[in-house]
Amino acid sequence: MKQRSSIIGSVEALPHRVASHLSREIEGGDIIPGARLPTESQLADKFGVSRNVVREAIAQLRADGMIEARQGIGAFVMAPEQRTAIRIDREALKDQRNMEQLFELRSILETESATLAAARCASDDLDAINAALDRMGGEERWEDGSIEADLLFHRAIARATGNSYIYTFISFVCEQIRQSIHYARLTNPLHDLVEVNVAEHVRIYDELAAHDPQAAGEAMRRHIEGAAARVGVELTAKLNRGK
Amino acid sequence: MKQRSSIIGSVEALPHRVASHLSREIEGGDIIPGARLPTESQLADKFGVSRNVVREAIAQLRADGMIEARQGIGAFVMAPEQRTAIRIDREALKDQRNMEQLFELRSILETESATLAAARCASDDLDAINAALDRMGGEERWEDGSIEADLLFHRAIARATGNSYIYTFISFVCEQIRQSIHYARLTNPLHDLVEVNVAEHVRIYDELAAHDPQAAGEAMRRHIEGAAARVGVELTAKLNRGK
DNA sequence: ACTTGCGCAGTTGTAGGATGACCGTATGAT
DNA sequence: ATCATACGGTCATCCTACAACTGCGCAAGT
């Protein structure tokens, strides 16, 4: 009794597929907050999987605070505001508009990250940032290596703020963007490899080393803007920050 | 054969307990990235639960990108940078230092949120913000109601930016702070009820209505600073923004 | 000696059924 | 009419069995 026919088709694991399907139904508004989900048995039948699989799927959604299961009653979907986790749908990032918004958020975080880092960074922080810079301009010119070094650079700055949440959020956003770009490049190979602009990075580093928060933030803001443009994303409505 | 004795004691559901335990072991560095976890059967024995419970726990961690399971081999812990979800440990927020950092992040997000909202908000956005303002100053003076209205106010502004990610992130951070404060108040009842400063909110609204991004951002920054101080959090190192 | 193929043991993935705990409601006795 | 009880539905947990996959060793063939 194995591998019965399933509605949804993909290569992913069954629980993940079920969770994604339910997640989309909830995000899409097909199931409004407060409403009760079908029973686990019904879902198992509907998706053509075992109840075990359904439970694992629900376990994921429950961990995110998207639904709440109460023994003896059922599972209910929660309001989107009280999620206990942030998760970004990679499918949604295929939409240019969403990618713009994510870049805008990144711009905000990174700009302030550079500002704070300039005011707080110690010498070992600068060393770490400089090391990433070397990897970028060094012999590691193969695409994935330079991109990796780029992420390292930004993470090192975020770490220099001394704020672990800033580090976490920036790492997360950058990683989402990176994976999305990487995926887009696979499906559309003519899209040229994203070359990192070393000059912009050096400029940022110099401002950080000079401990000039204002200038460092500004340099970072322009850099993110340029990075966005390089992957075809235009941050049209600029962030009107003090200049 | 039900409810056998367990190592870990709590009121939470079994899978959540196991997931938390594993999560802490990973975060704490007891299991380094790249290392392999014990088999599901071994974990089941160790925690005194069934393999099913272990699987649900692993399903949660897997959804966060904290571990990766490969059929026929085992489960491995991933590097903290490539998490697919952001989750904030509420326990950690009991530490004043962490709360300060989270408030600093909030200040960054909210300041820029107000700045963008001032530049972009339409009349219906202002209506929504104003509605929240009314609920705050209105008859709904009972504590939970006014706090709820406060969150509504900030979310309405975030929504007015037109950037769904900003909205999501701000909602998330605010909610984490709110729950943490709420919890702290339960354990330490002498800590007075947090009264929301209506005047500051009105000031923010006025600047938004005037479509003055610079002033709105500044008003918000001061407001968050004040809010932090009101719950005993001092944002010592200020954000050196253009003033 | 080297390669190739096969089988075996270990691990995760899935199925299915059984039982306990809990909730809401209907039923029946007072 | 009120309250206690019984019952069905649902989630929570457990168990067992099997499929799919991996890695490794061993044996046969070259």
Side-chain angles (χ1 to χ4, degrees):
Chain A
M1 86 299 279
K2 191 53 40 49
Q3 250 64 327
R4 41 178 172 176
S5 68
S6 172
I7 297 180
I8 34 192
S10 162
V11 294
E12 287 276 7
L14 254 39
H16 180 264
R17 276 190 265 172
V18 173
S20 298
H21 195 279
L22 288 176
S23 173
R24 279 169 203 284
E25 276 190 346
I26 293 175
E27 298 283 3
D30 297 341
I31 314 178
I32 60 175
R36 185 172 151 276
L37 264 65
T39 71
E40 295 177 351
S41 300
Q42 288 171 340
L43 289 174
D45 290 343
K46 175 181 174 184
F47 291 120
V49 299
S50 77
R51 196 167 83 93
N52 245 331
V53 171
V54 173
R55 280 194 61 81
E56 281 188 36
I58 289 183
Q60 298 176 206
L61 301 180
R62 212 147 61 128
D64 292 355
M66 191 175 297
I67 72 177
E68 181 186 15
R70 284 189 306 209
Q71 188 169 342
I73 307 184
F76 302 83
V77 339
M78 307 285 285
E81 282 77 20
Q82 49 202 39
R83 300 282 160 79
T84 63
I86 293 183
R87 198 178 296 282
I88 291 182
D89 182 11
R90 198 120 102 264
E91 287 299 311
L93 287 184
K94 289 179 180 172
D95 183 353
Q96 187 80 351
R97 171 123 185 74
N98 287 327
M99 188 57 106
E100 284 174 17
Q101 293 188 1
L102 190 55
F103 257 107
E104 182 171 83
L105 174 59
R106 184 187 170 192
S107 176
I108 292 171
L109 290 171
E110 294 257 30
T111 298
E112 224 61 36
S113 170
T115 303
L116 290 175
R120 299 174 181 172
C121 65
S123 61
D124 54 341
D125 292 323
L126 287 172
D127 291 344
I129 298 169
N130 202 18
L133 212 49
D134 285 344
R135 280 193 52 183
M136 246 181 293
E139 66 284 352
E140 299 206 38
R141 284 211 148 282
W142 49 292
E143 42 186 279
D144 284 342
S146 61
I147 291 179
E148 203 59 43
D150 182 38
L151 289 184
L152 219 56
F153 178 80
H154 289 275
R155 283 206 297 263
I157 293 176
R159 185 174 291 281
T161 64
N163 187 317
S164 59
Y165 295 110
I166 292 180
Y167 176 80
T168 300
F169 276 57
I170 285 182
S171 294
F172 177 69
V173 170
C174 286
E175 185 63 23
Q176 297 303 312
I177 291 177
R178 185 188 75 79
Q179 290 184 13
S180 185
I181 302 287
H182 181 69
Y183 179 75
R185 222 174 21 169
L186 289 182
T187 58
N188 184 16
L190 60 96
H191 196 282
D192 216 11
L193 111 103
V194 185
E195 70 166 325
V196 296
N197 187 325
V198 181
E200 285 179 1
H201 287 92
V202 171
R203 171 70 186 280
I204 294 171
Y205 173 79
D206 288 341
E207 304 293 5
L208 287 173
H211 294 286
D212 184 339
Q214 194 76 16
E218 191 62 23
M220 179 64 89
R221 211 198 91 253
R222 281 202 305 270
H223 167 55
I224 300 293
E225 219 169 80
R230 245 168 276 138
V231 297
V233 173
E234 208 61 44
L235 294 182
T236 52
K238 299 220 182 56
L239 311 176
N240 327 46
R241 300 193 60 258
K243 82 152 57 63
Chain B
M1 85 298 278
K2 192 56 41 47
Q3 250 64 326
R4 43 179 170 176
S5 68
S6 172
I7 297 179
I8 34 191
S10 163
V11 294
E12 287 275 9
L14 255 38
H16 180 264
R17 275 190 266 173
V18 173
S20 298
H21 195 279
L22 288 177
S23 174
R24 280 170 201 283
E25 275 190 347
I26 293 176
E27 298 283 3
D30 297 341
I31 315 179
I32 60 175
R36 184 171 151 274
L37 265 64
T39 71
E40 295 177 350
S41 301
Q42 288 171 339
L43 289 174
D45 290 344
K46 175 182 175 185
F47 292 121
V49 299
S50 77
R51 193 166 81 100
N52 235 325
V53 171
V54 173
R55 280 194 60 81
E56 281 188 36
I58 289 183
Q60 298 176 207
L61 301 180
R62 212 149 59 129
D64 292 356
M66 191 174 297
I67 74 176
E68 180 186 15
R70 285 189 307 210
Q71 186 169 342
I73 307 183
F76 302 83
V77 339
M78 306 286 285
E81 281 78 20
Q82 49 202 36
R83 300 285 158 79
T84 63
I86 293 183
R87 199 177 293 281
I88 291 182
D89 183 12
R90 199 104 102 320
E91 286 299 309
L93 288 184
K94 289 178 179 172
D95 183 351
Q96 186 80 351
R97 170 123 185 76
N98 287 326
M99 188 57 104
E100 284 175 18
Q101 293 187 2
L102 190 54
F103 256 106
E104 182 172 84
L105 174 59
R106 185 187 169 191
S107 176
I108 292 171
L109 290 171
E110 294 256 31
T111 298
E112 224 60 37
S113 170
T115 303
L116 290 175
R120 299 174 181 173
C121 65
S123 62
D124 54 340
D125 291 323
L126 287 172
D127 291 344
I129 297 170
N130 203 19
L133 212 49
D134 284 344
R135 280 194 51 185
M136 245 182 292
E139 65 285 352
E140 300 205 38
R141 283 210 149 281
W142 47 293
E143 42 185 278
D144 284 343
S146 60
I147 291 179
E148 203 59 45
D150 181 39
L151 289 185
L152 218 57
F153 178 80
H154 289 274
R155 283 206 298 263
I157 293 176
R159 186 175 291 282
T161 64
N163 187 317
S164 60
Y165 295 110
I166 292 179
Y167 176 80
T168 300
F169 277 56
I170 286 182
S171 295
F172 177 69
V173 171
C174 287
E175 184 63 22
Q176 297 303 313
I177 291 177
R178 184 188 75 79
Q179 290 184 11
S180 185
I181 302 286
H182 181 70
Y183 179 75
R185 222 173 19 166
L186 288 184
T187 58
N188 184 16
L190 60 96
H191 196 285
D192 216 11
L193 110 105
V194 185
E195 68 165 325
V196 296
N197 187 325
V198 181
E200 286 179 2
H201 287 93
V202 172
R203 171 69 186 280
I204 294 171
Y205 173 79
D206 288 342
E207 302 293 5
L208 288 173
H211 294 286
D212 185 339
Q214 194 76 18
E218 191 62 23
M220 178 63 89
R221 209 198 93 253
R222 281 202 304 270
H223 168 55
I224 300 293
E225 218 168 80
R230 246 167 276 137
V231 296
V233 173
E234 208 61 43
L235 292 182
T236 51
K238 300 222 183 54
L239 311 177
N240 327 47
R241 302 193 57 255
K243 84 154 52 63

